[in-house]
Amino acid sequence: MNKKLVISQSIMWAAAILVVSIVEEKEFAVLMLVLLATTALINLGKGQ
């Protein structure tokens, strides 16, 4: 795997975990989690 891809995946998943743990509104947390996960998966697909 490309080193930049691994770093970007790590950052996106860390951001997703932080958003879910910090935000009190569950709807916003779920929305951000879905957006970050989708972006991470799209980037992962492009990297292969």
Side-chain angles (χ1 to χ4, degrees):
M1 226 181 203
N2 186 2
K3 188 175 181 178
K4 288 183 182 179
L5 183 62
V6 171
I7 292 171
S8 89
Q9 291 295 309
S10 299
I11 290 171
M12 285 189 201
W13 285 110
I17 292 168
L18 286 173
V19 164
V20 170
S21 67
I22 292 172
V23 175
E24 292 180 12
E25 297 178 26
K26 293 299 175 192
E27 293 88 14
F28 182 72
V30 170
L31 176 65
M32 290 304 296
L33 185 60
V34 168
L35 286 174
L36 289 168
T38 303
T39 305
L41 291 174
I42 288 171
N43 286 337
L44 185 62
K46 286 181 183 178
Q48 292 181 349

